[in-house]
Coordinates of all heavy atoms in Angstrom, one line a residue:
G343 N -194.2 0.4 26.6 CA -193.9 0.7 25.2 C -195.1 1.0 24.4 O -196.2 1.2 24.9
L344 N -195.0 1.0 23.1 CA -196.0 1.4 22.1 C -196.3 0.2 21.2 O -195.4 -0.4 20.6 CB -195.6 2.6 21.3 CG -196.6 3.1 20.3 CD1 -197.8 3.6 20.9 CD2 -195.9 4.2 19.4
A345 N -197.6 -0.1 21.1 CA -198.1 -1.1 20.1 C -199.0 -0.4 19.1 O -199.9 0.3 19.5 CB -198.8 -2.3 20.8
L346 N -198.7 -0.6 17.8 CA -199.5 0.0 16.8 C -200.4 -1.0 16.0 O -199.9 -2.2 15.8 CB -198.6 0.7 15.7 CG -197.7 1.8 16.3 CD1 -196.7 2.2 15.2 CD2 -198.5 3.0 16.7
P347 N -201.6 -0.7 15.6 CA -202.4 -1.6 14.9 C -202.1 -1.7 13.4 O -202.8 -2.3 12.6 CB -203.8 -1.0 15.1 CG -203.6 0.5 15.2 CD -202.3 0.6 15.9
Y348 N -201.0 -1.1 13.0 CA -200.5 -1.1 11.6 C -199.0 -1.3 11.6 O -198.3 -0.9 12.6 CB -200.9 0.2 10.9 CG -200.5 1.5 11.6 CD1 -199.2 2.0 11.4 CD2 -201.4 2.1 12.5 CE1 -198.8 3.2 12.1 CE2 -201.0 3.2 13.2 CZ -199.7 3.8 12.9 OH -199.4 4.9 13.6
P349 N -198.4 -1.9 10.6 CA -197.0 -2.1 10.6 C -196.2 -0.9 10.0 O -196.7 -0.2 9.1 CB -196.8 -3.3 9.7 CG -197.9 -3.2 8.7 CD -199.1 -2.5 9.4
L350 N -195.0 -0.7 10.5 CA -194.1 0.2 9.9 C -193.1 -0.7 9.1 O -193.4 -1.8 8.8 CB -193.3 1.0 10.9 CG -194.2 1.9 11.8 CD1 -193.4 2.6 12.9 CD2 -195.0 2.9 11.0
A351 N -192.0 -0.1 8.6 CA -191.1 -0.9 7.8 C -190.6 -2.1 8.5 O -190.5 -2.1 9.7 CB -189.9 0.0 7.3
W352 N -190.3 -3.2 7.8 CA -189.8 -4.5 8.3 C -190.9 -5.0 9.3 O -190.5 -5.8 10.2 CB -188.5 -4.3 9.0 CG -187.5 -3.8 8.0 CD1 -186.9 -4.5 6.9 CD2 -186.9 -2.5 8.0 NE1 -186.0 -3.7 6.2 CE2 -186.0 -2.4 6.9 CE3 -187.0 -1.4 8.8 CZ2 -185.2 -1.3 6.6 CZ3 -186.2 -0.2 8.5 CH2 -185.4 -0.2 7.4
N353 N -192.1 -4.7 9.1 CA -193.2 -5.3 9.8 C -193.2 -4.9 11.3 O -193.7 -5.6 12.2 CB -193.3 -6.8 9.7 CG -193.8 -7.2 8.3 OD1 -194.8 -6.6 7.8 ND2 -193.2 -8.2 7.7
A354 N -192.5 -3.8 11.6 CA -192.4 -3.4 13.0 C -193.7 -2.7 13.4 O -194.1 -1.8 12.8 CB -191.2 -2.4 13.2
N355 N -194.3 -3.2 14.5 CA -195.6 -2.5 14.9 C -195.5 -2.2 16.4 O -196.6 -2.0 17.0 CB -196.8 -3.4 14.6 CG -196.8 -4.7 15.3 OD1 -195.8 -5.1 16.0 ND2 -197.8 -5.5 15.1
R356 N -194.3 -2.2 17.0 CA -194.3 -1.9 18.4 C -192.9 -1.3 18.7 O -191.9 -1.6 18.0 CB -194.6 -3.0 19.4 CG -193.6 -4.2 19.3 CD -193.9 -5.2 20.4 NE -193.6 -4.8 21.7 CZ -194.5 -4.4 22.7 NH1 -195.8 -4.5 22.4 NH2 -194.1 -4.0 23.9
Y357 N -192.8 -0.5 19.8 CA -191.6 -0.1 20.4 C -191.5 -0.6 21.8 O -192.4 -0.3 22.6 CB -191.4 1.4 20.4 CG -190.0 1.8 20.8 CD1 -189.0 1.8 19.8 CD2 -189.7 2.2 22.1 CE1 -187.7 2.2 20.2 CE2 -188.4 2.5 22.4 CZ -187.4 2.5 21.5 OH -186.1 2.8 21.8
T358 N -190.5 -1.4 22.1 CA -190.5 -2.1 23.4 C -190.1 -1.1 24.5 O -189.3 -0.2 24.3 CB -189.4 -3.2 23.3 OG1 -189.7 -4.1 22.2 CG2 -189.5 -4.1 24.6
G359 N -190.8 -1.3 25.7 CA -190.6 -0.3 26.7 C -189.3 -0.3 27.5 O -188.4 -1.2 27.3
Y360 N -189.2 0.6 28.5 CA -188.0 0.8 29.2 C -188.0 0.1 30.6 O -189.1 -0.3 31.1 CB -187.8 2.3 29.4 CG -187.6 3.1 28.2 CD1 -188.7 3.3 27.2 CD2 -186.4 3.7 27.9 CE1 -188.5 4.0 26.1 CE2 -186.2 4.4 26.7 CZ -187.2 4.6 25.8 OH -187.0 5.3 24.6
N361 N -186.9 0.1 31.2 CA -186.8 -0.5 32.6 C -187.1 0.5 33.6 O -186.2 0.9 34.5 CB -185.4 -1.1 32.7 CG -185.1 -2.3 31.8 OD1 -186.1 -3.0 31.5 ND2 -183.9 -2.5 31.4
V362 N -188.3 1.1 33.6 CA -188.7 2.2 34.5 C -188.5 1.8 35.9 O -188.2 2.6 36.8 CB -190.1 2.6 34.1 CG1 -190.6 3.7 35.1 CG2 -190.2 3.1 32.7
L363 N -188.9 0.6 36.3 CA -188.9 0.1 37.7 C -187.8 -0.8 38.0 O -187.8 -1.6 38.9 CB -190.3 -0.5 38.0 CG -191.5 0.4 37.7 CD1 -192.8 -0.4 37.8 CD2 -191.5 1.5 38.8
E364 N -186.7 -0.8 37.2 CA -185.5 -1.6 37.4 C -184.2 -0.8 37.4 O -183.2 -1.2 36.9 CB -185.5 -2.7 36.2 CG -186.5 -3.8 36.3 CD -187.9 -3.3 35.8 OE1 -187.9 -2.4 34.9 OE2 -188.9 -3.8 36.3
G365 N -184.3 0.4 38.0 CA -183.1 1.1 38.2 C -182.8 2.2 37.2 O -181.6 2.7 37.1
T366 N -183.8 2.7 36.4 CA -183.6 3.8 35.5 C -184.0 5.1 36.1 O -185.1 5.2 36.6 CB -184.4 3.5 34.2 OG1 -184.1 2.3 33.6 CG2 -184.2 4.7 33.2
R367 N -183.1 6.0 36.2 CA -183.3 7.3 36.8 C -183.9 8.3 35.7 O -183.3 8.5 34.7 CB -182.1 7.9 37.4 CG -182.2 8.9 38.5 CD -180.9 9.2 39.1 NE -181.0 9.6 40.5 CZ -180.1 9.5 41.4 NH1 -178.9 9.0 41.0 NH2 -180.2 9.9 42.6
L368 N -185.1 8.8 36.0 CA -185.8 9.6 34.9 C -185.8 11.1 35.3 O -186.6 11.8 34.7 CB -187.2 9.1 34.8 CG -187.3 7.6 34.3 CD1 -188.7 7.1 34.4 CD2 -186.8 7.5 32.9
T369 N -184.9 11.6 36.1 CA -184.9 13.0 36.5 C -183.9 13.9 35.8 O -183.9 15.1 36.0 CB -184.6 13.0 38.1 OG1 -183.4 12.4 38.3 CG2 -185.7 12.3 38.8
G370 N -183.0 13.3 35.0 CA -182.0 14.1 34.3 C -182.5 14.8 33.1 O -183.7 14.8 32.8
V371 N -181.6 15.5 32.4 CA -182.0 16.3 31.3 C -182.5 15.5 30.1 O -183.3 16.0 29.3 CB -180.8 17.2 30.8 CG1 -179.7 16.4 30.2 CG2 -181.3 18.3 29.9
L372 N -182.2 14.2 30.1 CA -182.7 13.3 29.1 C -183.8 12.4 29.6 O -184.3 11.5 28.9 CB -181.5 12.4 28.6 CG -180.4 13.0 27.9 CD1 -179.3 12.0 27.5 CD2 -180.8 13.9 26.7
G373 N -184.3 12.8 30.8 CA -185.4 12.0 31.3 C -186.8 12.6 31.0 O -187.0 13.2 30.0
L374 N -187.7 12.5 32.0 CA -189.1 13.0 31.8 C -189.2 14.5 32.1 O -188.2 15.1 32.5 CB -190.0 12.2 32.7 CG -190.1 10.7 32.4 CD1 -191.3 10.1 33.1 CD2 -190.2 10.4 30.9
A375 N -190.4 15.0 32.0 CA -190.6 16.5 32.1 C -190.3 17.1 33.5 O -190.5 16.4 34.5 CB -192.0 16.8 31.7
H376 N -189.8 18.3 33.5 CA -189.7 19.1 34.7 C -190.7 20.2 34.9 O -190.7 20.9 35.9 CB -188.3 19.7 34.8 CG -187.2 18.8 35.0 ND1 -186.8 17.8 34.2 CD2 -186.3 18.6 36.1 CE1 -185.8 17.1 34.7 NE2 -185.5 17.6 35.9
D377 N -191.6 20.3 33.9 CA -192.6 21.4 33.9 C -193.9 20.8 33.7 O -194.2 20.0 32.8 CB -192.3 22.4 32.8 CG -193.0 23.7 32.9 OD1 -194.2 23.6 33.3 OD2 -192.5 24.8 32.6
P378 N -194.9 21.1 34.6 CA -196.3 20.5 34.5 C -197.1 21.1 33.3 O -198.1 20.5 33.0 CB -196.9 20.9 35.8 CG -196.2 22.1 36.2 CD -194.8 22.0 35.8
V379 N -196.5 22.1 32.6 CA -197.2 22.7 31.5 C -196.4 22.4 30.2 O -195.2 22.7 30.2 CB -197.4 24.2 31.7 CG1 -198.1 24.8 30.5 CG2 -198.2 24.4 33.0
R380 N -197.1 22.0 29.1 CA -196.5 21.8 27.8 C -196.2 23.2 27.2 O -197.1 24.0 27.0 CB -197.4 21.0 26.9 CG -196.8 20.9 25.5 CD -197.9 20.4 24.5 NE -197.4 20.2 23.2 CZ -197.3 21.1 22.3 NH1 -197.6 22.3 22.5 NH2 -196.8 20.8 21.1
L381 N -194.9 23.4 26.9 CA -194.5 24.7 26.2 C -195.0 24.6 24.8 O -195.1 23.5 24.2 CB -193.0 24.9 26.3 CG -192.4 25.0 27.7 CD1 -190.9 25.2 27.5 CD2 -193.0 26.1 28.5
P382 N -195.3 25.8 24.2 CA -195.6 25.8 22.7 C -194.6 25.1 21.9 O -194.9 24.4 20.9 CB -195.8 27.3 22.4 CG -196.1 27.9 23.7 CD -195.3 27.1 24.8
S383 N -193.3 25.3 22.2 CA -192.2 24.6 21.6 C -191.5 23.9 22.7 O -190.6 24.5 23.4 CB -191.3 25.6 20.9 OG -191.9 26.2 19.7
P384 N -191.8 22.6 22.9 CA -191.2 21.9 24.0 C -189.7 21.8 24.0 O -189.1 21.9 22.9 CB -191.8 20.4 23.8 CG -193.0 20.7 23.0 CD -192.7 21.8 22.1
T385 N -189.1 21.7 25.2 CA -187.7 21.6 25.3 C -187.4 20.4 26.2 O -188.2 19.9 26.9 CB -187.1 22.8 26.0 OG1 -187.6 22.9 27.4 CG2 -187.4 24.1 25.3
F386 N -186.1 19.9 26.1 CA -185.8 18.7 26.7 C -186.0 18.7 28.2 O -186.6 17.8 28.8 CB -184.3 18.3 26.5 CG -183.9 18.0 25.1 CD1 -182.6 18.0 24.7 CD2 -184.9 17.6 24.2 CE1 -182.3 17.7 23.4 CE2 -184.6 17.2 22.9 CZ -183.3 17.3 22.5

Side-chain angles (χ1 to χ4, degrees):
L344 177 67
L346 299 172
Y348 52 88
L350 299 177
W352 301 290
N353 290 317
N355 63 356
R356 65 173 288 107
Y357 189 82
T358 309
Y360 295 72
N361 295 328
V362 175
L363 301 168
E364 290 79 28
T366 301
R367 204 171 207 157
L368 298 170
T369 55
V371 70
L372 298 180
L374 299 191
H376 285 67
D377 195 320
V379 178
R380 176 195 182 275
L381 300 181
S383 293
T385 65
F386 293 163

